Amino acid sequence: MSELGLCSRREADDYIARGLVRVDGVVVSELGSKVFPNQRIDLDRVASEAQAARVTVLINKPIGYVSGQAEKGYQPAAALILPANLWEGDASRQTFRREHLQGLAPAGRLDIDSTGLLVLTQDGRIARQLIGEDSPVDKEYLVRVEGRLNADGLRLLNHGLSLDGEALKPARVWWQNRDQLRFVLNEGKKRQIRRMCELVGLRVVGLKRVRIGKVLLGDLPLGQWRYLAPGERFW
């Protein structure tokens, strides 16, 4: 069910236990039931409506906010999700409701010293798509740096560095202007870009995430948020 994009694995377990899943028209209520590739899986109307009602929120996170739970006196980015902060350019036609905050969790992290696109979602399918080990979704960053970088250093940023004893996947890194690099990554180790830059003699003085998959930060103002629009997809 997760692979078909019907719901997340956790949601699948709940729907199966509640008798809301049919295979070839027959209700299946036993977890771990086998299904063959040629069989049809359907969600009951109640489960389908529950999936459709789940929202995904995009925030332009300012410095000083953490991605998840509050820590060390810092507020979570979710604290910004207020009607007053909803971007006037939001094109989703979604009306804010308090229940949109229930079960809303970050799909990936953005460290406290960074700004830019942060995704919070109620939809387990989107969370899996963005943070699963096999996620195909890349992320793009503008990174302002100090220091000198030679051609070999740029080559290493693209491929050849290791963190925590593991070789990093190939990245795409190039100069955006005299003091700013553009990074495109397919993985997200803790403070990865800052640590990569340190390894080649650079110091990061500003970092902003501008894209996740096909979804752009665009004109979303700092500290404001919007809903993921119907038809808008990360992959």
Side-chain angles (χ1 to χ4, degrees):
M1 290 171 67
S2 174
E3 290 172 359
L4 290 173
L6 295 174
C7 57
S8 71
R9 294 180 182 181
R10 181 178 297 178
E11 290 161 346
D13 287 348
D14 177 54
Y15 294 152
I16 292 169
R18 292 164 58 192
L20 301 177
V21 178
R22 289 184 173 84
V23 176
D24 288 345
V26 178
V27 173
V28 174
S29 56
E30 182 179 345
L31 298 179
S33 298
K34 292 184 178 180
V35 180
F36 293 98
N38 62 334
Q39 292 184 288
R40 179 183 174 87
I41 304 174
D42 293 297
L43 293 179
D44 184 272
R45 179 179 57 82
V46 172
S48 295
E49 290 177 352
Q51 287 297 126
R54 286 177 166 80
V55 299
T56 296
V57 167
L58 312 174
I59 299 177
N60 187 347
K61 188 190 84 67
I63 289 173
Y65 285 83
V66 293
S67 299
Q69 298 295 321
E71 56 184 67
K72 298 178 182 178
Y74 294 105
Q75 285 188 298
L80 295 167
I81 306 175
L82 302 168
N85 293 334
L86 177 58
W87 182 37
E88 63 179 14
D90 182 284
S92 69
R93 299 183 180 179
Q94 183 80 254
T95 300
F96 175 76
R97 300 200 300 270
R98 299 300 301 179
E99 53 262 37
H100 291 168
L101 300 176
Q102 298 173 5
L104 197 64
R109 302 183 67 83
L110 192 59
D111 69 59
I112 194 169
D113 300 318
S114 300
T115 68
L117 188 58
L118 178 67
V119 177
L120 291 91
T121 186
Q122 295 176 327
D123 194 330
R125 296 169 298 180
I126 288 179
R128 180 177 182 271
Q129 188 180 72
L130 297 187
I131 60 178
E133 290 185 4
D134 57 347
S135 171
V137 179
D138 61 7
K139 301 174 180 67
E140 187 170 346
Y141 304 80
L142 289 176
V143 184
R144 196 168 300 280
V145 295
E146 290 181 347
R148 299 188 64 179
L149 181 69
N150 58 30
D152 191 56
L154 186 61
R155 179 187 62 78
L156 287 171
L157 287 174
N158 277 271
H159 193 209
L161 296 176
S162 297
L163 291 176
D164 305 321
E166 295 183 0
L168 296 176
K169 295 179 181 178
R172 286 182 285 149
V173 185
W174 66 95
W175 284 108
Q176 179 71 14
N177 52 47
R178 289 179 58 187
D179 62 355
Q180 191 168 230
L181 290 163
R182 189 176 288 265
F183 277 71
V184 178
L185 303 180
N186 283 97
E187 61 185 331
K189 292 184 178 294
K190 187 175 181 179
R191 299 178 73 85
Q192 178 173 335
I193 290 176
R194 296 176 189 276
R195 295 164 68 195
M196 289 173 68
C197 288
E198 288 174 1
L199 290 174
V200 295
L202 296 176
R203 186 172 76 90
V204 173
V205 295
L207 191 155
K208 178 167 72 172
R209 185 156 62 201
V210 297
R211 179 177 64 82
I212 298 177
K214 293 183 177 181
V215 176
L216 303 176
L217 177 65
D219 296 326
L220 181 62
L222 188 67
Q224 295 188 24
W225 63 278
R226 69 175 179 89
Y227 290 103
L228 188 72
E232 194 174 16
R233 298 288 183 271
F234 291 98
W235 178 252

